[in-house]
Amino acid sequence: MIGGRRPLQGRKAGDRRVRVERPHAPYFRYAGPNQLIAREAASVPRTARGRALARFRQIVFGRPLANEEEIGERLSKRKALAIFSSDAISSSAYATEEILRVLVLAGASALFFAIHVSIAIALLLAVVAVSYRQVCRAYPNGGGAYVVARTNLAPIFGLIAAASLLIDYVMTVSVSTASAIAQIQSVFPVAYDFRIEIAFVSIALITVANLRGLRESGNIFAVPTYLFVGLALAIVAIGAFRIATGTANQVPLEHDVVPLGTEAFGVLLLLKAFAGGSVALTGVEAIANGVPAFKPPESKNAADTMTVMAVLLAILFVGLTVFAVAFGLQPTQEGGPSIVALAARTAFGEGSPLFYAFAASTALILFLAANTSFNAFPRLAAILAEDSYMPRQFAFRGDRLAYSWGIVLLAGVAFLLLWAFGGDTHALIPLYSVGVFLCFTLSQIGMVKHWLRGHESGWRWRLAVNAAGGILTGIVLAIVVSEKFAAGAYLVVILVPVLVGMMLFISRQYGRSKRQLAVDPAHIVSAPKREERIVVPIHGVDRATIQAVNVGRSIDDDVRAVHISDDPEDAARVRKTFERQIPGVPLVVVDSPYRALAGPLLAYLDVLDAAWPPGKLEPITFVVIPEYVASSWWERLLYNQSAKSLRKALLGRPHTVVVNVPYRREDQEASSPPRAPEAENEADTAAEG
Amino acid sequence: MIGGRRPLQGRKAGDRRVRVERPHAPYFRYAGPNQLIAREAASVPRTARGRALARFRQIVFGRPLANEEEIGERLSKRKALAIFSSDAISSSAYATEEILRVLVLAGASALFFAIHVSIAIALLLAVVAVSYRQVCRAYPNGGGAYVVARTNLAPIFGLIAAASLLIDYVMTVSVSTASAIAQIQSVFPVAYDFRIEIAFVSIALITVANLRGLRESGNIFAVPTYLFVGLALAIVAIGAFRIATGTANQVPLEHDVVPLGTEAFGVLLLLKAFAGGSVALTGVEAIANGVPAFKPPESKNAADTMTVMAVLLAILFVGLTVFAVAFGLQPTQEGGPSIVALAARTAFGEGSPLFYAFAASTALILFLAANTSFNAFPRLAAILAEDSYMPRQFAFRGDRLAYSWGIVLLAGVAFLLLWAFGGDTHALIPLYSVGVFLCFTLSQIGMVKHWLRGHESGWRWRLAVNAAGGILTGIVLAIVVSEKFAAGAYLVVILVPVLVGMMLFISRQYGRSKRQLAVDPAHIVSAPKREERIVVPIHGVDRATIQAVNVGRSIDDDVRAVHISDDPEDAARVRKTFERQIPGVPLVVVDSPYRALAGPLLAYLDVLDAAWPPGKLEPITFVVIPEYVASSWWERLLYNQSAKSLRKALLGRPHTVVVNVPYRREDQEASSPPRAPEAENEADTAAEG
């Protein structure tokens, strides 16, 4: 055997063939000895079908992006606001209603207190927002509550936060899609019959947009968010003007409203209303989870965006609540218009273009609330995967720098949830708050510990803010859990530990195999002393067999072929042909009266091992298996069934290595390298010289 | 490298360790130099879990059977009659009704002609049975119409026959299961709500029984068949007695009957009635397809069984028709009792034990009609697979000598059909006849050509019988197709060519790869002259990497490691560690800014090939990939994703061989060989000496 290393550079001068002169040029840039940088061409598929598929992928998802293009994919504050706050801002579309629906139980006079409740929630929002501004600055790599709790409290609290966030993100996608469809349905009742199809299409569109990457999804999603914000602000402004001018009259009731109740008005009811309205805070944490998606300076931009979002949300939420109280809007019976729809009608007049524009933008921002999860879930999953708490694939970024696995998993689970609930996921809405407030509480407590350790400038008032926030969100959490436990919150209480358990399990798996695979850094590997032995299972004498035997012989001379057969006559024929045509290689024929293939081969290898002289180090056994190169699914059915089962059986065997020798029909398309991009060849001549 | 061949026999004398002395004894019997016979122990799984699974399989399916035990699995005539004729005989339960339902269109007087029609069909049955007796003798390897048409006419006619038979067998399973459930349902209406579940359970039971093997399924299925035959014969005998004694009175109508029609009575109506009743002949071909399942002398036993079956069927069919006419039984509206149920009530009296026994045995024989298909379909598929018209797996026999693939495919497709039709496959009944009569016609024409070529004794009258049969069945085929075309027969007309096309396609695939793989028998293979080159893709320095590099170095000295990375800093660290710990092996670092793995590796291999001196034969490239030995599905998710995609990409590359080096965590259960069966060790000492 000749061989020896052949360095890439240093070809003999005067060779006239350009390709051989600088063979790496089409695929790689030369960056130093044994150091190459792959061009885009290196990843172009080799077959015509593969290239066609890649072209299709590029049309749908866009051209592949290099790592260095990542910075160009970062978000401006304007786009980030649209991407990360559609979930939070969209909650102003239903939070007021949640308050009114509780207060209405205590009669008309209680409705007035909605204003107080909404202001209390806005204050809580301010505390949470200030706290998350600090998280943005302290933890610029993102991860939000997970990282804060893991770093400051203990890993287990980080995992609890992560699990509840992951669950929340999935529910957000299902619930906001279902709400958007309900919104459409109130205009076009026929939409009800196609709700699963509409859900599928809208989730698929959001998935594709997110697989295309951040910046583009920002472009797509900015318009409806700003449209909703603008129109909702207009409603609030009109309301304020009419209240100021004393023209805020009670709107006549045109729909069946929820009948006024006679419950006692008291602290308990106010707390309930507070817990119901606190759904307005869901989605607030998204920005802190996604700091690395911002343009530099990341932390500052994220914190600023957080402030803008909190202010907008507070104005919309409190404004719409005041509007509803001032105009005497009341929650309607099932099927009737929502409070925001009534407000829009009151402000713009029924049937006016602005009314319809607002209805449409409400539906759209509810669809887009799902998009917040599509940004937050994959990022959190990637951070968890990097910390070995989720399968590694979640940390891989696809062609467009998006975390493809997380995006696809989220889309799949959310759609399944919608499908399982028949498109009506209303029952899930209260469950949100559990996960969100769990995270709020954990991250506030974490921040308290952060300030206790850090003592940065102003740490005293920061600590006070976080402590107050932690206590408040903790109280809300307690209320939400106790209020909604039977209604479904118990599901979260069950699911969170299950997810945490899974993540701990995965982490232990990875940790164990990492320890087991670790090598002493002082250990210097010398050339191996093991002997080899080659076994070639054959089914007859053909080109594939000959190729496999030849590959075996080029590894070592100790080659034997094994023919396992359930037909002794056929076996005798095979032996005759083999011994005549492939002389010098012993053939062992194993009669297998039970028609098994893998079992007798494994047993034969055991026999070889047992026959090895005792005391001598066992050799490596190379089992050479011809494998047909299937070019389609039906070929996979027609060929390789035996090769596959042998491979599977042998992979479990110590000191055994499986060598797959591919064979193909000659009429199949050979895998040819794609044509080289000529243009770039000049660029790196200098680097190479 | 040492190595050299190590023959199994000839160990140095005086070695005290018994296992090393005769290491093959637990697994193999020694049958000559390099010739072993596997014992059952050789196929015993290596892991505790595998062994537990095997034990479970043995409980459900029985212990594995060796090839030589096949003869013990053969069927006596008594069992064969039960297994192969339940389909044909069960058709006497509905064929009479099919005739009456046509004739009733022409009023009460037309019903009398049912007797003439049934006798005509019985004559046709006689012709077909005589013809198939001859097929049994002429083609003792089974295959029925397929083999007859392929041998005597042309392969394409054989495939047409095979395709229509395969379709028929699937429909038989669905339809007879649905009919049996309908029978149960007429006694227990609640069964309707569980019809899919009942269908699943009954098909699953028949599947398991057939996977256990022929003889045992004969034991299970003989009782109900003989019970049905006995009770039906009793009905016929009671009818004959009462007709003879003049006590055959018109039965009063207790159910809504199909109203008498006023269509003109004539040849067309008779032909329609004939076509309807000819459903009695379905299933007749099963015995001729399964000749090898009989005890020797196979052909004679099969022919005798064919005669008994035909005589029984003729008696039951004509007898029940005469009974129905004599007692004035009329077809009822949907939901009412069937003609045989009415006959049983008339003969045994409603509510008598015999009446219920007959109802039960009717349901059972309808379930068992499916069993005929379970015997015929896998056998036909195996014959087709041996002729390369179906994937090879269909010719493999499982542990119990049953054609497992065919059995499972039939069960799966038939259940899907039932499920798709919501458990009501009544619409498929008329479609049967198309396939069956197509086969009859083809095999009769085939036999005509057979006699023309053979000129055996008596060939003239045999030829006359087959010619007459061919013409008659051809006419019936034409009637059935034209009558039922719109009702669904067009499906068969579409499906048969599709299946034939698939079979031709598969045959061309196998034929092509066989030709391509064929080697000149005169060619003597000499040692290879190819050089080798080893490439080890690594992700870092750990035990798995070191193992892979060492395996590579034991193949040849020309080893290089390649690290493909999307993180230049990490890559620099890997290079430092690698060069320090594994000196002497060059490491090429490829920066992959698009995060692709397989593409840059393939491109690098292309570069190596291009750098090879022109004119010199390209070397074999061994790509050594470490592969984690996953012991469960979740481990498969956590590990090996990269190894899998690399393997897939590389298998398409010419001159490239993939070497899988397994690695495992040390705490995993090592695959230990099962304990050797000590008892058998004595037996082959003599053979070895």
Side-chain angles (χ1 to χ4, degrees):
Chain A
M1 271 159 226
I2 309 179
R5 269 155 271 132
R6 311 193 59 84
L8 262 180
Q9 63 274 47
R11 202 105 328 101
K12 60 178 187 287
D15 191 327
R16 273 180 303 270
R17 301 195 325 182
V18 178
R19 289 294 301 281
V20 173
E21 185 85 30
R22 293 166 53 248
H24 69 274
Y27 300 132
F28 299 104
R29 270 186 303 135
Y30 179 82
N34 279 340
Q35 185 89 31
L36 302 171
I37 297 170
R39 298 175 190 281
E40 204 179 331
S43 315
V44 171
R46 313 273 137 162
T47 59
R49 201 169 56 167
R51 282 192 294 272
L53 202 70
R55 263 193 302 276
F56 175 76
R57 280 175 62 92
Q58 289 207 14
I59 292 166
V60 178
F61 300 115
R63 68 168 183 85
L65 296 175
N67 285 341
E68 65 214 31
E69 295 176 84
E70 203 256 325
I71 202 81
E73 284 291 296
R74 298 292 189 84
L75 295 171
S76 66
K77 284 187 273 189
R78 197 182 55 78
K79 278 182 192 158
L81 186 67
I83 283 197
F84 283 119
S85 22
S86 49
D87 181 16
I89 287 180
S90 71
S91 53
S92 65
Y94 49 80
T96 301
E97 185 147 1
E98 295 288 326
I99 299 175
L100 293 176
R101 280 185 187 278
V102 176
L103 293 178
V104 80
L105 298 173
S109 61
L111 290 178
F112 180 73
F113 291 93
I115 296 176
H116 305 75
V117 172
S118 72
I119 290 173
I121 292 173
L123 287 176
L124 182 61
L125 170 64
V127 171
V128 170
V130 167
S131 162
Y132 269 119
R133 274 181 60 93
Q134 293 169 357
V135 171
C136 289
R137 288 172 187 279
Y139 300 97
N141 292 323
Y146 161 65
V147 173
V148 175
R150 189 198 60 186
T151 316
N152 294 302
L153 304 175
I156 186 80
F157 291 109
L159 292 182
I160 291 171
S164 38
L165 278 176
L166 291 178
I167 294 170
D168 263 23
Y169 290 142
V170 171
M171 288 203 298
T172 303
V173 174
S174 311
V175 172
S176 65
T177 304
S179 310
I181 293 171
Q183 199 79 19
I184 295 176
Q185 183 191 326
S186 70
V187 182
F188 304 106
V190 72
Y192 183 79
D193 299 332
F194 300 97
R195 60 200 190 285
I196 299 291
E197 289 81 357
I198 297 173
F200 182 81
V201 170
S202 71
I203 290 179
L205 283 177
I206 292 183
T207 305
V208 170
N210 279 283
L211 288 174
R212 284 190 75 101
L214 260 190
R215 205 175 43 177
E216 295 199 17
S217 66
N219 289 335
I220 300 171
F221 297 149
V223 177
T225 306
Y226 284 109
L227 187 66
F228 174 83
V229 170
L231 290 170
L233 283 176
I235 294 173
V236 171
I238 290 171
F241 175 78
R242 287 181 59 180
I243 291 168
T245 57
T247 54
N249 312 314
Q250 294 284 313
V251 174
L253 301 176
E254 286 179 11
H255 301 270
D256 292 342
V257 296
V258 176
L260 296 170
T262 55
E263 258 183 49
F265 180 76
V267 175
L268 194 68
L269 199 76
L270 276 177
L271 279 180
K272 272 191 190 177
F274 184 80
S278 65
V279 78
L281 269 69
T282 58
V284 164
E285 76 292 344
I287 290 176
N289 289 341
V291 181
F294 283 80
K295 280 191 178 155
E298 292 89 350
S299 291
K300 187 183 168 306
N301 285 337
D304 291 352
T305 309
M306 173 69 82
T307 306
V308 173
M309 186 204 66
V311 170
L312 268 179
L313 175 56
I315 292 174
L316 291 182
F317 173 48
V318 176
L320 285 172
T321 308
V322 172
F323 188 103
V325 171
F327 288 86
L329 306 180
Q330 285 183 34
T332 57
Q333 298 278 33
E334 202 171 341
S338 61
I339 290 288
V340 278
L342 290 175
R345 208 185 53 176
T346 309
F348 300 136
E350 175 136 36
S352 72
L354 282 179
F355 171 76
Y356 284 114
F358 182 73
S361 72
T362 309
L364 273 176
I365 200 173
L366 283 169
F367 273 126
L368 294 194
N371 189 54
T372 303
S373 291
F374 270 92
N375 274 286
F377 181 100
R379 280 170 188 282
L380 182 55
I383 293 173
L384 288 167
E386 263 159 27
D387 291 351
S388 292
Y389 289 118
M390 281 184 68
R392 278 173 204 144
Q393 297 89 298
F394 287 96
F396 296 164
R397 283 182 301 174
D399 281 349
R400 295 287 292 180
L401 289 162
Y403 295 105
S404 321
W405 276 71
I407 291 173
V408 170
L409 179 71
L410 173 64
V413 177
F415 178 72
L416 280 183
L417 203 64
L418 260 172
W419 184 71
F421 277 72
D424 178 16
T425 47
H426 200 82
L428 295 178
I429 288 188
L431 312 194
Y432 272 143
S433 322
V434 178
V436 172
F437 279 89
L438 187 55
C439 289
F440 287 162
T441 312
L442 284 172
S443 69
Q444 306 266 6
I445 300 174
M447 287 307 287
V448 168
K449 288 203 75 171
H450 176 84
W451 302 127
L452 282 177
R453 286 190 319 194
H455 290 210
E456 296 170 32
S457 77
W459 68 275
R460 277 170 218 279
W461 74 265
R462 290 176 201 272
L463 187 150
V465 167
N466 284 134
I471 292 166
L472 276 175
T473 51
I475 291 171
V476 176
L477 175 64
I479 297 171
V480 172
V481 169
S482 60
E483 280 294 312
K484 311 281 187 187
F485 193 80
Y490 70 92
L491 276 178
V492 179
V493 175
I494 294 168
L495 269 179
V496 167
V498 169
L499 271 187
V500 169
M502 272 172 60
M503 292 193 283
L504 286 175
F505 178 79
I506 291 174
S507 154
R508 206 170 51 220
Q509 290 298 325
Y510 279 137
R512 236 196 241 169
S513 57
K514 195 176 169 189
R515 275 194 306 282
Q516 293 272 359
L517 287 177
V519 282
D520 177 6
H523 174 61
I524 306 298
V525 179
S526 50
K529 284 161 216 78
R530 278 251 166 98
E531 291 184 23
E532 296 118 340
R533 166 209 289 154
I534 291 98
V535 173
V536 187
I538 65 159
H539 63 277
V541 178
D542 58 19
R543 277 209 354 239
T545 309
I546 293 175
Q547 206 182 327
V549 168
N550 280 346
V551 165
R553 282 205 281 203
S554 61
I555 296 174
D556 194 77
D557 290 331
D558 182 5
V559 177
R560 53 168 84 53
V562 179
H563 178 56
I564 296 170
S565 163
D566 65 346
D567 180 348
E569 287 171 36
D570 182 61
R573 268 194 301 275
V574 169
R575 177 187 288 285
K576 227 178 111 191
T577 316
F578 188 93
E579 289 180 345
R580 187 171 54 78
Q581 292 202 266
I582 313 183
V585 175
L587 171 70
V588 177
V589 171
V590 177
D591 233 34
S592 177
Y594 295 91
R595 301 165 301 284
L597 189 60
L601 181 66
L602 283 175
Y604 176 70
L605 296 180
D606 286 348
V607 170
L608 285 187
D609 280 351
W612 194 253
K616 204 170 152 191
L617 192 65
E618 277 188 340
I620 302 180
T621 303
F622 287 80
V623 181
V624 184
I625 302 177
E627 188 158 343
Y628 184 82
V629 181
S631 59
S632 58
W633 62 268
W634 49 260
E635 285 205 338
R636 244 163 257 136
L637 275 182
L638 294 182
Y639 302 95
N640 284 344
Q641 299 296 330
S642 313
K644 218 190 285 171
S645 68
L646 279 188
R647 225 181 74 77
K648 214 179 140 207
L650 288 164
L651 262 186
R653 204 174 182 275
H655 318 311
T656 306
V657 164
V658 176
V659 183
N660 291 110
V661 179
Y663 67 96
R664 52 170 69 241
R665 291 209 318 264
E666 272 162 11
D667 55 332
Q668 282 180 312
E669 180 196 25
S671 68
S672 58
R675 220 165 296 144
E678 306 289 342
E680 288 185 279
N681 283 3
E682 262 70 51
D684 48 11
T685 312
E688 213 180 338
Chain B
M1 273 162 223
I2 310 179
R5 269 156 270 130
R6 310 191 61 82
L8 265 179
Q9 65 274 45
R11 202 105 330 100
K12 61 176 185 287
D15 190 328
R16 272 178 305 271
R17 302 193 324 178
V18 178
R19 288 293 302 279
V20 174
E21 183 85 31
R22 292 167 54 249
H24 69 274
Y27 300 132
F28 300 104
R29 271 187 301 135
Y30 177 82
N34 278 341
Q35 185 88 34
L36 302 170
I37 298 170
R39 297 176 191 279
E40 206 179 330
S43 315
V44 172
R46 313 275 137 161
T47 58
R49 203 170 52 166
R51 282 193 292 273
L53 202 70
R55 263 195 301 277
F56 175 74
R57 282 174 60 91
Q58 289 207 12
I59 291 166
V60 179
F61 299 115
R63 66 167 184 85
L65 295 176
N67 286 342
E68 66 215 30
E69 294 176 86
E70 204 256 324
I71 201 80
E73 284 292 298
R74 298 290 189 86
L75 295 171
S76 66
K77 283 187 273 188
R78 198 181 55 77
K79 277 181 191 158
L81 186 68
I83 283 195
F84 284 120
S85 24
S86 50
D87 182 15
I89 286 180
S90 72
S91 52
S92 64
Y94 48 81
T96 300
E97 186 147 3
E98 295 287 326
I99 299 174
L100 292 177
R101 280 185 187 279
V102 175
L103 293 179
V104 80
L105 298 173
S109 60
L111 289 179
F112 180 72
F113 290 93
I115 295 177
H116 304 76
V117 172
S118 72
I119 291 173
I121 292 171
L123 288 177
L124 182 60
L125 169 64
V127 170
V128 169
V130 168
S131 162
Y132 270 120
R133 273 181 61 95
Q134 294 170 357
V135 170
C136 290
R137 288 172 186 278
Y139 300 98
N141 293 324
Y146 161 65
V147 174
V148 174
R150 191 198 58 186
T151 315
N152 293 303
L153 304 175
I156 185 80
F157 290 109
L159 293 182
I160 292 172
S164 37
L165 278 177
L166 291 177
I167 295 170
D168 263 23
Y169 290 141
V170 171
M171 289 202 299
T172 302
V173 174
S174 312
V175 172
S176 64
T177 304
S179 310
I181 293 171
Q183 198 79 17
I184 295 176
Q185 183 190 325
S186 68
V187 183
F188 305 106
V190 72
Y192 182 79
D193 299 332
F194 300 98
R195 61 199 188 286
I196 299 291
E197 288 81 356
I198 296 173
F200 181 80
V201 169
S202 71
I203 290 179
L205 283 178
I206 292 183
T207 305
V208 170
N210 279 284
L211 288 173
R212 284 189 76 101
L214 261 189
R215 205 173 43 175
E216 294 200 19
S217 68
N219 288 336
I220 301 170
F221 297 150
V223 177
T225 306
Y226 284 109
L227 187 67
F228 174 82
V229 170
L231 290 170
L233 282 176
I235 294 174
V236 171
I238 290 170
F241 175 78
R242 287 180 60 180
I243 291 168
T245 57
T247 54
N249 311 314
Q250 294 283 313
V251 175
L253 300 175
E254 287 179 9
H255 301 271
D256 293 342
V257 296
V258 176
L260 297 171
T262 54
E263 256 182 53
F265 180 76
V267 175
L268 194 68
L269 198 76
L270 276 178
L271 279 179
K272 272 192 192 177
F274 185 81
S278 65
V279 77
L281 269 68
T282 57
V284 164
E285 76 292 345
I287 290 176
N289 290 340
V291 180
F294 283 79
K295 280 191 178 155
E298 292 88 351
S299 291
K300 187 182 170 305
N301 284 339
D304 290 353
T305 310
M306 173 67 82
T307 306
V308 173
M309 186 204 67
V311 169
L312 268 179
L313 176 56
I315 293 174
L316 290 182
F317 173 48
V318 176
L320 285 171
T321 308
V322 171
F323 188 104
V325 171
F327 289 86
L329 306 180
Q330 286 183 33
T332 57
Q333 298 277 32
E334 202 171 341
S338 60
I339 290 287
V340 279
L342 289 175
R345 208 184 54 176
T346 309
F348 300 136
E350 177 136 36
S352 73
L354 283 178
F355 170 77
Y356 285 113
F358 182 73
S361 72
T362 309
L364 274 176
I365 201 172
L366 284 168
F367 274 126
L368 295 193
N371 190 54
T372 302
S373 292
F374 271 91
N375 274 285
F377 182 100
R379 277 167 191 284
L380 182 55
I383 293 174
L384 288 167
E386 264 159 26
D387 291 352
S388 292
Y389 289 118
M390 282 184 69
R392 278 173 204 144
Q393 297 90 297
F394 287 96
F396 296 165
R397 284 181 301 172
D399 281 349
R400 294 287 292 181
L401 288 162
Y403 295 105
S404 321
W405 277 70
I407 291 172
V408 170
L409 179 72
L410 173 64
V413 177
F415 179 71
L416 281 182
L417 202 66
L418 260 171
W419 185 71
F421 276 71
D424 178 16
T425 46
H426 199 81
L428 295 179
I429 289 188
L431 312 195
Y432 271 143
S433 321
V434 179
V436 172
F437 278 90
L438 188 55
C439 288
F440 286 163
T441 311
L442 284 172
S443 68
Q444 306 268 5
I445 300 174
M447 287 307 286
V448 168
K449 288 202 76 171
H450 176 84
W451 301 127
L452 283 176
R453 286 189 318 194
H455 289 212
E456 296 170 32
S457 78
W459 68 272
R460 277 169 217 277
W461 73 264
R462 290 176 201 271
L463 187 150
V465 167
N466 285 133
I471 291 167
L472 276 174
T473 52
I475 291 171
V476 177
L477 175 65
I479 297 170
V480 171
V481 170
S482 60
E483 278 296 310
K484 312 280 187 186
F485 192 81
Y490 70 92
L491 277 178
V492 179
V493 175
I494 292 168
L495 270 179
V496 166
V498 169
L499 271 188
V500 169
M502 272 172 61
M503 291 193 281
L504 286 174
F505 178 79
I506 291 172
S507 154
R508 207 172 49 221
Q509 289 299 325
Y510 279 136
R512 238 197 241 168
S513 57
K514 196 175 167 190
R515 275 195 304 281
Q516 293 272 357
L517 288 177
V519 283
D520 178 5
H523 174 62
I524 306 300
V525 179
S526 48
K529 285 162 214 76
R530 278 250 165 99
E531 290 182 25
E532 295 117 339
R533 166 209 287 156
I534 291 98
V535 174
V536 187
I538 65 159
H539 63 277
V541 177
D542 59 18
R543 276 207 358 237
T545 308
I546 293 175
Q547 205 182 329
V549 170
N550 280 346
V551 165
R553 284 204 280 203
S554 61
I555 296 174
D556 194 78
D557 290 330
D558 182 5
V559 177
R560 53 169 81 55
V562 180
H563 178 55
I564 295 169
S565 165
D566 65 345
D567 181 348
E569 286 170 37
D570 181 61
R573 268 194 303 276
V574 168
R575 176 187 288 286
K576 226 177 112 191
T577 318
F578 188 94
E579 288 178 347
R580 187 171 54 76
Q581 292 202 268
I582 314 183
V585 175
L587 172 70
V588 178
V589 170
V590 178
D591 234 34
S592 176
Y594 295 91
R595 302 164 302 283
L597 188 62
L601 181 67
L602 283 175
Y604 176 69
L605 296 180
D606 286 347
V607 171
L608 284 187
D609 280 351
W612 193 254
K616 207 171 149 190
L617 192 64
E618 277 186 340
I620 303 180
T621 303
F622 288 78
V623 181
V624 184
I625 303 177
E627 188 157 345
Y628 184 82
V629 182
S631 59
S632 58
W633 64 266
W634 50 261
E635 284 204 341
R636 243 162 259 138
L637 274 182
L638 294 181
Y639 302 96
N640 285 343
Q641 300 296 331
S642 313
K644 219 191 285 172
S645 68
L646 279 188
R647 225 180 73 77
K648 213 179 139 205
L650 288 164
L651 262 187
R653 202 171 182 276
H655 317 310
T656 306
V657 165
V658 176
V659 182
N660 291 111
V661 180
Y663 66 96
R664 52 170 70 240
R665 292 208 317 266
E666 274 162 12
D667 55 333
Q668 283 180 313
E669 178 195 26
S671 67
S672 60
R675 221 166 297 144
E678 307 290 339
E680 288 185 280
N681 283 4
E682 263 69 52
D684 48 11
T685 314
E688 214 179 339

